[in-house]
Amino acid sequence: MYNKLLSPLDLGFTVLKNRVLMGSMHTNLEEAKNGLQRAATFYAERAKGQVGLIVTGGISPNVEGSVWMGAAKMTTLEEMEAHKIIPEAVHKEGGKICMQLLHSGRYAYHNKSVGPSAVRAPIAPFTPRELSSEEVEQTIEDYAYASELAQMAGYDGVEIMGSEGYLINQFIAKRTNRRTDEWGGSYENRIKLAVQTVRRTRERVGENFIIIYRLSMLDLVEGGSTWEEVVQLAKEIEKAGATIINTGIGWHEARVPTIGTVVPKGGFAWVTKRMMGEVNIPLIATNRINMPDVAEQILVDGCADMVSMARPFLADENLVLKAMEDRAHEINTCIACNQACLDHTFSGKLTSCLVNPRACHETELNFEPTAEAKKMAVVGAGPAGLAAATIAAERGHEVHLFEAASEIGGQFNMAKVIPGKEEYAETIRYYDAMIQKHGVKLKLNHRVSAEELKEGNYDEIILATGVLPRKLTFEGIDHPKVLNYAEVLYDKKPVGKKVAIVGAGGIGFDVAEFLAHEGELPSLNTELYMEEWGVDMDYKTAGALEVPKISPSPREIYLLKRSKGKHGKNLGKTTGWIHRASLHMKRVNMLSNVTYHKVDDAGLHISVLDEPQVLEVDNVVICAGQESLRDLYDALKENGQSVHLIGGANVAAELDAKKAIKEASYLVAGL
Ligand code: FAD
Ligand code: SF4
């Protein structure tokens, strides 16, 4: 089925082994201690996994363009020398690698930031200084020199970042370019930086060097480009000497989610499709392409010549190899949560992956075959237990996995029913495949007891028993109106038309999302998604924005919290705004400073800032946190048995599968 995807390109680009590109991701390894060595190992593993062409994280062509002061740049021979180990490692594995050159312009997090005009970005702390005309010329020269250095370091090409609202994009859009000199005003003037950067780079590096230009095909901001302008730019970029055009979707400041888990799979491929036939060089489709079947469909539908996947290669370095060997069911799928990748990147932490903690930690976390096979019991088949059991079995241990429920997955069985989190089912599918592959002895419908574990004579016992929903104690908590989140999401108990959710953490938000939808889901239907988020697929306006057409919530929902302040401030750094915006669109009532008094037939009695009121609701859903389930742990400890405690059973922290899987992985790597 995947052969088509993986057949060699017939476009004459012999450098490309196949049609999948590993898209650029800044991992923060670029700046870490021994980071380039670690990055070399990281990229080499992906090349070994048969990725034909890799693009590095963004590297600035000059100091002002750095994302923050001290961030990676390519400006000196010394920096060039240090990079040599990366292409060398990738070439050893038969891959090709391009360096992404990214000047952040007004998105920079430092007070030396520059831009076409002194217009501050809504997401940046500093107003940029306007570049003089000579400095714009110098910036082009910096790009060309950085490309030359990349070539000297052994890279196979560069990707010039012209999208997502970074410097080149800032010059192109009227929104940010207020200049009256030769770099502003007419469209021809505004795209001059982009075109001349490609032209000068081509002159400098010669013919046998890949130049990918990442072109913003859909700005998703007011004052962005029209479609006609985007096409004009693509043609000019081709003429200037680019080898390939990659698609950029949305500026970072856009208010439309472009890669979050709410975005339908392959949901922006239609944009690249509009460009097909306008230029003669290959086009790459991007965004939310996470599995070979999605990629293949895009190619079969003629949406693009190639596809770019980025985060999916954090989740599984062998994605392409597995597809080639007809083992797609063994792929550890990127679930687009951003929790360990972009949330880390933008917090200055090392990037990794929720479902694969080895990502960017290849030099420190490895699952070597064991020299001494042990008999192990793992209790609980949620994310923590699944990771522990499958890795231990992969290492050669005899693993017995006990699960009280009739299926594996633990709380991910609740996560996967949340609109926009359907992908979480893929993690369960992956672990199911690993259980089969590595011969884990799984016992479902089996709540294991301390006696049984004692009698089993296990060398190691790992408890991953997870959590229970926290119970509250106010009056009427046992009223039939009151449900907890598990009863709603797992047991599917009916919920009325008016509902109050007690607790506005991650699970409270998810329950609100679950209750605010009916019928077809935007996360599963591209047209619906674009309508709901106000994206004009006919591209009638500059930036392609239109008034959102929101299907109303079937329920009147109140999302309540005791604390003061904005709802959702502890949600993910790069995704919290999406959850908030989504619930606002559904007109969910968000109340803070709430004191709960009682539930009775009339509804939920509360005070908001000491002002009493009754919410006349049909149901009250409690999402007030969780408590670790440790009965087994306590019993075993009492018997003096040595056990390992991981995941929610260790620390109950609501949305924390990242910690659960990481803890399991590090534990079992050393057993
Ligand atoms: P659990 O998933 O709770 O699994 C424990 C398992 O142990 C259960 O299957 C239970 O049946 C079994 N068990 C318990 N006792 C026994 C016994 N004695 N014998 C046999 N089996 C036993 N996290 C995120 O990081 N990101 C998200 O977006 C996210 N979304 C979520 C959405 C919802 C609606 C919910 C409810 C949770 C979400 N989470 C999310 C939280 C995430 O699912 C948990 O952090 C994770 O599941 C914890 O894994 P665990 O293996 O420790 O425990
Ligand atoms: Fe994908 Fe989440 Fe892993 Fe990031 S952390 S690569 S979004 S699964």
Side-chain angles (χ1 to χ4, degrees):
M1 173 180 185
Y2 302 109
N3 291 346
K4 265 179 280 170
L5 166 64
L6 296 152
S7 62
L9 258 191
D10 52 5
L11 298 162
F13 292 92
T14 49
V15 290
L16 304 179
K17 232 190 284 182
N18 54 53
R19 295 191 186 194
V20 178
L21 169 112
M22 174 170 151
S24 173
M25 289 177 284
H26 200 94
T27 60
N28 287 338
L29 279 173
E30 294 83 353
E31 293 83 17
K33 193 160 171 252
N34 296 328
L36 294 183
Q37 185 61 58
R38 293 175 67 176
T41 311
F42 166 72
Y43 290 125
E45 280 205 8
R46 274 77 197 158
K48 192 173 177 194
Q50 298 302 307
V51 182
L53 183 60
I54 295 170
V55 180
T56 67
I59 310 273
S60 181
N62 58 30
V63 176
E64 307 82 61
S66 310
V67 184
W68 66 88
M69 269 305 150
K73 57 188 176 58
M74 181 52 79
T75 57
T76 63
L77 288 171
E78 199 186 347
E79 285 160 352
M80 181 278 289
E81 282 293 336
H83 264 267
K84 280 185 172 170
I85 50 175
I86 293 180
E88 200 178 283
V90 169
H91 293 159
K92 219 182 249 172
E93 298 297 346
K96 302 276 175 195
I97 185 160
C98 296
M99 174 182 283
Q100 189 188 68
L101 294 176
L102 179 153
H103 187 306
S104 52
R106 71 176 194 154
Y107 280 168
Y109 263 66
H110 57 73
N111 60 9
K112 303 259 180 315
S113 69
V114 294
S117 306
V119 184
R120 187 159 80 91
I123 56 169
F126 299 102
T127 301
R129 178 178 62 77
E130 179 173 317
L131 285 168
S132 70
S133 180
E134 296 71 41
E135 284 174 322
V136 181
E137 284 285 359
Q138 183 58 47
T139 304
I140 297 171
E141 174 54 27
D142 292 343
Y143 266 106
Y145 184 54
S147 303
E148 193 183 338
L149 290 174
Q151 191 175 35
M152 286 163 73
Y155 283 97
D156 301 282
V158 289
E159 177 173 80
I160 294 171
M161 182 46 150
S163 64
E164 324 310 275
Y166 289 112
L167 183 80
I168 291 178
N169 214 176
Q170 291 160 23
F171 265 84
I172 294 169
K174 275 193 200 137
R175 173 186 183 82
T176 37
N177 185 340
R178 314 269 166 89
R179 303 174 74 98
T180 52
D181 63 1
E182 71 271 36
W183 305 103
S186 69
Y187 190 63
E188 285 69 23
N189 282 356
R190 283 184 277 128
I191 62 174
K192 229 156 74 180
L193 171 63
V195 176
Q196 291 202 7
T197 298
V198 174
R199 187 174 300 136
R200 190 90 60 86
T201 300
R202 175 57 74 207
E203 284 165 10
R204 193 68 61 87
V205 296
E207 281 310 305
N208 292 325
F209 194 66
I210 301 168
I211 300 178
I212 306 170
Y213 180 81
R214 185 109 188 250
L215 192 150
S216 185
M217 291 198 201
L218 186 73
D219 288 331
L220 297 178
V221 288
E222 275 131 26
S225 295
T226 63
W227 178 249
E228 292 67 32
E229 288 172 338
V230 171
V231 173
Q232 186 184 335
L233 174 60
K235 289 178 192 287
E236 293 293 332
I237 290 293
E238 178 180 17
K239 261 195 267 167
T243 323
I244 301 169
I245 291 179
N246 193 1
T247 305
I249 301 286
W251 290 35
H252 284 317
E253 67 208 64
R255 292 289 91 187
V256 178
T258 54
I259 59 168
T261 185
V262 293
V263 180
K265 288 194 265 194
F268 286 98
W270 59 272
V271 184
T272 316
K273 188 173 188 180
R274 282 183 80 103
M275 188 61 81
M276 290 291 276
E278 299 283 2
V279 289
N280 297 307
I281 52 177
L283 296 178
I284 304 178
T286 58
N287 291 49
R288 281 290 280 127
I289 304 169
N290 66 344
M291 284 293 277
D293 59 337
V294 184
E296 188 177 55
Q297 197 60 51
I298 287 169
L299 296 173
V300 169
D301 290 347
C303 297
D305 301 297
M306 296 175 62
V307 293
S308 167
M309 298 176 169
R311 294 170 300 170
F313 287 112
L314 290 175
D316 197 330
E317 67 278 11
N318 288 317
L319 184 149
V320 175
L321 183 68
K322 288 177 182 176
M324 284 168 83
E325 294 176 354
D326 209 11
R327 294 189 288 127
H329 63 290
E330 289 183 11
I331 292 173
N332 198 358
T333 304
C334 165
I335 58 175
C337 64
N338 282 3
Q339 283 177 238
C341 54
L342 288 172
D343 284 355
H344 278 208
T345 314
F346 287 105
S347 316
K349 291 190 208 157
L350 211 56
T351 296
S352 190
C353 173
L354 179 140
V355 299
N356 175 25
R358 278 198 73 243
C360 300
H361 295 74
E362 289 79 6
T363 53
E364 64 180 52
L365 179 60
N366 282 296
F367 308 130
E368 305 292 351
T370 179
E372 184 199 345
K374 294 180 183 173
K375 186 179 175 193
M376 291 189 187
V378 179
V379 185
L386 287 168
T390 54
I391 296 168
E394 181 187 348
R395 293 194 55 217
H397 296 299
E398 179 189 321
V399 182
H400 300 256
L401 174 61
F402 301 97
E403 170 52 56
S406 59
E407 57 186 350
I408 63 165
Q411 292 173 66
F412 264 31
N413 288 306
M414 289 185 261
K416 74 181 186 194
V417 304
I418 307 301
K421 284 194 173 178
E422 296 82 8
E423 295 282 16
Y424 287 54
E426 295 293 333
T427 304
I428 303 176
R429 183 266 308 141
Y430 164 73
Y431 280 122
D432 188 35
M434 291 303 104
I435 286 173
Q436 312 297 330
K437 186 179 172 100
H438 300 301
V440 173
K441 299 175 198 316
L442 171 67
K443 230 175 184 185
L444 292 172
N445 297 305
H446 192 89
R447 185 169 289 279
V448 76
S449 64
E451 292 69 43
E452 194 180 346
L453 288 175
K454 198 170 165 215
E455 282 160 19
N457 283 325
Y458 296 103
D459 300 313
E460 305 281 355
I461 297 175
I462 300 173
L463 296 183
T465 46
V467 299
L468 289 176
R470 177 174 292 132
K471 275 196 150 184
L472 296 182
T473 51
F474 54 78
E475 192 184 331
I477 199 73
D478 295 321
H479 192 280
K481 277 181 192 289
V482 180
L483 302 167
N484 67 36
Y485 64 83
E487 290 171 311
V488 173
L489 300 174
Y490 198 71
D491 304 337
K492 304 282 184 316
K493 292 208 172 153
V495 177
K497 288 283 177 199
K498 284 180 83 172
V499 51
I501 298 169
V502 171
I507 292 181
F509 263 75
D510 274 358
V511 168
E513 198 69 55
F514 178 78
L515 296 173
H517 284 86
E518 68 178 354
E520 206 164 357
L521 296 172
S523 51
L524 300 177
N525 179 321
T526 296
E527 282 75 23
L528 206 56
Y529 178 85
M530 298 301 156
E531 270 184 15
E532 283 232 350
W533 287 94
V535 181
D536 172 20
M537 292 179 82
D538 293 328
Y539 222 130
K540 291 188 293 293
T541 56
L545 291 178
E546 63 178 3
V547 178
K549 293 190 204 86
I550 296 148
S551 37
S553 164
R555 294 185 179 82
E556 187 179 327
I557 301 170
Y558 294 85
L559 183 58
L560 313 175
K561 68 185 186 94
R562 258 196 301 232
S563 58
K564 56 182 182 187
K566 208 162 79 169
H567 277 58
K569 58 177 189 288
N570 295 327
L571 298 176
K573 193 170 173 72
T574 62
T575 54
W577 71 272
I578 302 174
H579 299 297
R580 276 192 299 272
S582 174
L583 295 190
H584 279 303
M585 286 185 339
K586 296 289 183 184
R587 304 214 184 292
V588 169
N589 303 289
M590 301 196 187
L591 303 182
S592 313
N593 293 298
V594 178
T595 309
Y596 308 105
H597 300 305
K598 64 173 178 178
V599 179
D600 61 16
D601 291 348
L604 175 64
H605 298 247
I606 58 171
S607 298
V608 179
L609 286 174
D610 296 332
E611 201 55 49
Q613 54 177 288
V614 182
L615 300 178
E616 293 171 2
V617 292
D618 305 308
N619 288 105
V620 177
V621 183
I622 308 293
C623 305
Q626 307 179 319
E627 275 158 12
S628 297
L629 182 55
R630 293 222 187 125
D631 50 347
L632 207 48
Y633 177 75
D634 294 339
L636 288 167
K637 275 288 187 198
E638 222 166 81
N639 288 344
Q641 188 107 30
S642 145
V643 291
H644 308 278
L645 191 63
I646 57 172
N650 187 12
V651 179
E654 285 220 1
L655 309 195
D656 211 356
K658 180 177 80 175
K659 187 177 77 50
I661 294 175
K662 185 175 170 185
E663 218 169 59
S665 305
Y666 275 89
L667 168 71
V668 172
L671 288 181

